[in-house]
């Protein structure tokens, strides 16, 4: 059995300072205009998508999506958006308990902070990333030794 959910968006994007609230119900970022109510929307779309993702336990997939979005913003020079996506990826990776996804998000945050010239913050993220990778490697080695 397979379920496929697609969300398509051609909107103007979401300002960094609003990204924390867009998954709340009835949140709309557009100013009210003269368009009929049925064309303006209710501000429920992302709240519904978020709820479905949580119900289906898609936290890992959401972490990957936000990580990839961050990677897309990086070469375009949209560093604030890159940071926001990698931060969300990190939060979701931790919720999912995935050290691998957490390490990826930390690497993305380190890259973005490096480009911003925030070397100490970048170093903090890279160190955390490296430590997680060492733990993953050690765990993988222990698992392989147990197989023999």
């Amino acid at each position: 059995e397979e379920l496929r959910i697609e969300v398509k968006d051609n909107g103007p994007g979401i300002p960094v300072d609003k990204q924390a609230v867009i998954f709340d119900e009835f949140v709309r970022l557009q100013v009210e205009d003269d368009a009929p109510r049925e064309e303006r929307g209710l501000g429920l779309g992302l709240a519904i998508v978020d709820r479905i993702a949580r119900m289906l336990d898609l936290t890992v997939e959401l972490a990957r999506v936000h990580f990839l979005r961050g990677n897309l913003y990086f070469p375009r020079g949209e560093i604030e958006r890159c940071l926001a996506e990698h931060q969300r990826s990190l939060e979701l990776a931790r919720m999912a308990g995935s050290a691998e996804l957490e390490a990826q998000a930390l690497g993305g945050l380190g890259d973005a902070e490096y480009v911003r010239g925030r070397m100490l913050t970048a170093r903090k993220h890279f160190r955390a990333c490296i430590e997680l990778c060492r733990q993953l490697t050690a765990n993988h080695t222990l698992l392989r030794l147990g197989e023999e």
Side-chain angles (χ1 to χ4, degrees):
E1 240 177 81
E2 184 177 307
L3 171 67
R4 182 180 177 139
I5 299 173
E6 289 187 27
V7 177
K8 295 184 180 186
D9 180 15
N10 59 357
I14 300 162
V16 174
D17 64 329
K18 302 286 188 211
Q19 290 179 1
V21 299
I22 60 168
F23 287 97
D24 295 343
E25 294 177 353
F26 303 107
V27 170
R28 294 181 63 244
L29 300 182
Q30 296 84 8
V31 265
E32 295 297 325
D33 55 21
D34 294 330
R37 181 167 175 70
E38 60 272 4
E39 291 178 19
R40 289 190 308 233
L42 298 173
L44 288 171
L46 290 175
I48 292 169
V49 168
D50 187 53
R51 190 169 294 153
I52 290 170
R54 289 175 196 271
M55 287 172 46
L56 296 175
D57 196 24
L58 299 176
T59 309
V60 167
E61 287 79 5
L62 287 171
R64 286 188 180 122
V65 166
H66 286 283
F67 173 72
L68 293 172
R69 280 185 188 160
N71 287 350
L72 292 173
Y73 288 131
F74 185 82
R76 294 172 57 180
E78 297 181 48
I79 303 306
E80 294 302 320
R81 294 176 92 177
C82 172
L83 280 167
E85 292 295 337
H86 285 307
Q87 185 60 47
R88 183 67 180 139
S89 177
L90 179 62
E91 293 163 6
L92 290 163
R94 287 178 174 161
M95 285 172 51
S98 172
E100 182 178 344
L101 293 174
E102 187 177 342
Q104 288 178 349
L106 286 165
L109 286 168
D111 288 340
E113 293 292 6
Y114 181 84
V115 166
R116 291 172 77 193
R118 297 189 172 171
M119 302 307 169
L120 293 177
T121 304
R123 183 176 185 227
K124 179 186 83 167
H125 290 307
F126 289 138
R127 280 190 162 183
C129 175
I130 290 167
E131 182 55 35
L132 275 173
C133 291
R134 284 185 178 139
Q135 290 172 10
L136 287 170
T137 302
N139 291 341
H140 182 70
T141 302
L142 288 174
L143 288 173
R144 293 193 75 214
L145 289 174
E147 292 173 1
E148 296 174 3

